[in-house]
Amino acid sequence: MNLMSAPGAGKTTLLEATLRALHGEFRVAVIEGDLQTDLDAQRIQALGVPAFQITTGTVCHLDARMVARAMDSFPIDELDLLVIENVGNLICPASFDLGESLRIVVCSVAEGAEKPKKYPVMFNKADVILINKIDLAAASDVDLWQLEANIMDVNPKAILFALSSKTGAGLSAWTDWLKTAVQTRTSLPLAGTN
Amino acid sequence: MSNKPLRHEVFPPVHEISIAENILQIAEAKAREQNARSIQLIKLRLGTFTTIVEEALQFAFEVCRQGTLAAEAILEIETVEMVTECMVCDSQAQPAHGICLICRTCGFPLRILAGEELRVEYIEVDLKQEESLSLPFQNEYQSRPMY
């Protein structure tokens, strides 16, 4: 699955929480994309999950060639789930198909309710949209209903989960869904086949 | 499983560079197949519901075409407007209204029929003279040889 969001939406923290939930049930590996540093890969490896860091230099997205090369680091046939955490960016990653079967977009409440309207292509191409940091809704003065309505405008078919990786609220609904999705992978809609 | 970070070989600030490089690869592969001397024109269909900006792509193309068979080529971009259709009610294909992909008539999701294109339609090439008539173009990239 291809995990995308704006910088700072909480992709890595959410991924850590998700990996903890999958622990022991699924064989997972992670490809991390960032412009610089392997800090994110270190965080994932600290959980005992194999992780490979791609540093893109100044390139604002991952493309399929980079992912193909990184995939050599894993015994792909022995994995149940390969997670690609894309470069934090709501624009370019939307246009680069990485061969994923699931596109996940994380949108944090603190970014405001208008992000789906401003970046419609990214939100339109998501299979699942995770509204993160709902514990900050009041502090951010963001109306969750408005945010959900704006998401539905650009992607009426998206599966939505509202959660907080920090407090754990709503997290199990997402991780349960993901477990079922991995188990029934063959019946999933493929990304890009709207 | 730690490994040394992988670094991409190019260092552009915009994603249009990657797209331009790939367009050139597609065009050059096709041109070589036809023993072309050079590429005169690359015709591209580009939808408006993509993240690709035409001006930025033209700029990236001018940078990337240097040293390729397309060093003097024109990138001709046909813009494809967004067209949607209701998945439920029988309404005809309708132009997208803003960015709302919910049918205004019945409230069900709209299907995107056009506007997501990013496709090399054809290329125009200069053929080596003695082979110019003997090599018809085949498959999806239609080409119009120039003499």
Side-chain angles (χ1 to χ4, degrees):
Chain A
M1 74 180 192
N2 182 1
L3 188 61
M4 295 174 284
S5 80
K11 281 189 301 303
T12 312
T13 306
L14 178 56
L15 181 55
E16 286 172 321
T18 305
L19 292 173
R20 282 193 200 99
L22 299 182
H23 180 74
E25 289 181 63
F26 298 95
R27 297 163 301 175
V28 187
V30 177
I31 294 173
E32 286 284 346
D34 278 300
L35 301 196
Q36 298 291 343
T37 83
D38 63 347
L39 294 172
D40 282 0
Q42 287 177 29
R43 285 171 63 180
I44 302 303
Q45 286 160 359
L47 298 174
V49 175
F52 185 95
Q53 180 78 47
I54 299 175
T55 48
T56 61
T58 56
V59 179
C60 44
H61 58 270
L62 295 180
D63 68 30
R65 280 177 303 179
M66 300 182 215
V67 171
R69 278 185 287 163
M71 275 169 63
D72 290 340
S73 325
F74 305 114
I76 290 296
D77 294 340
E78 295 166 21
L79 295 176
D80 300 311
L81 176 65
L82 177 64
V83 181
I84 304 163
E85 184 183 334
N86 218 311
V87 177
N89 181 342
L90 283 178
I91 311 163
C92 341
S95 291
F96 290 83
D97 192 345
L98 304 182
E100 69 274 22
S101 49
L102 255 185
R103 282 189 171 212
I104 318 285
V105 170
V106 183
C107 175
S108 83
V109 167
E111 293 166 46
E114 309 299 331
K115 279 288 182 294
K117 286 187 177 296
K118 292 176 180 171
Y119 301 90
V121 179
M122 173 61 81
F123 282 89
N124 176 261
K125 292 189 182 303
D127 300 299
V128 178
I129 295 170
L130 304 175
I131 301 173
N132 194 16
K133 305 188 188 179
I134 53 170
D135 52 312
L136 295 180
S140 318
D141 204 15
V142 167
D143 180 349
L144 276 176
W145 291 111
Q146 187 60 50
L147 175 56
E148 287 192 17
N150 289 344
I151 290 172
M152 295 313 279
D153 269 0
V154 295
N155 190 344
K157 289 180 287 178
I159 299 166
L160 289 185
F161 294 99
L163 51 85
S164 163
S165 336
K166 189 178 167 192
T167 67
L171 193 65
S172 62
W174 148 244
T175 55
D176 287 348
W177 182 90
L178 181 61
K179 287 176 188 177
T180 311
V182 174
Q183 278 159 354
T184 58
R185 181 186 179 282
T186 47
S187 61
L188 274 178
L190 292 176
T193 53
N194 292 341
Chain B
M1 197 183 294
S2 185
N3 357 62
K4 60 178 185 295
L6 192 72
R7 200 184 166 88
H8 198 42
E9 62 269 17
V10 293
F11 39 88
V14 292
H15 56 283
E16 279 83 359
I17 298 259
S18 311
I19 303 283
E21 282 179 335
N22 202 242
I23 289 169
L24 284 161
Q25 280 170 10
I26 291 168
E28 279 201 294
K30 183 52 61 179
R32 290 220 168 84
E33 213 175 272
Q34 308 294 337
N35 282 320
R37 203 163 44 192
S38 65
I39 300 168
Q40 304 296 317
L41 180 143
I42 301 174
K43 173 69 185 290
L44 184 81
R45 275 167 66 81
L46 177 63
T48 54
F49 197 63
T50 62
T51 61
I52 293 136
V53 179
E54 183 174 336
E55 290 75 13
L57 184 58
Q58 286 288 8
F59 178 70
F61 180 77
E62 280 172 32
V63 174
C64 297
R65 69 181 174 178
Q66 291 167 30
T68 72
L69 285 180
E72 317 230 307
I74 294 166
L75 178 64
E76 190 180 303
I77 299 177
E78 179 188 340
T79 303
V80 184
E81 294 299 331
M82 195 172 170
V83 180
T84 57
E85 173 192 64
C86 181
M87 294 168 73
V88 177
C89 75
D90 215 16
S91 67
Q92 297 277 325
Q94 49 186 281
H97 228 90
I99 45 166
C100 181
L101 293 174
I102 295 173
C103 179
R104 298 193 131 208
T105 311
C106 71
F108 274 88
L110 295 174
R111 178 189 293 129
I112 299 173
L113 294 179
E116 298 183 296
E117 289 83 353
L118 175 58
R119 183 181 170 81
V120 178
E121 283 282 290
Y122 58 81
I123 60 173
E124 292 181 0
V125 298
D126 241 346
L127 291 178
K128 291 173 183 163
Q129 268 175 351
E130 63 274 29
E131 293 158 354
S132 61
L133 294 174
S134 62
L135 279 168
F137 284 77
Q138 290 164 344
N139 76 40
E140 77 220 67
Y141 304 105
Q142 314 152 23
S143 295
R144 296 180 297 191
M146 283 174 60
Y147 302 100

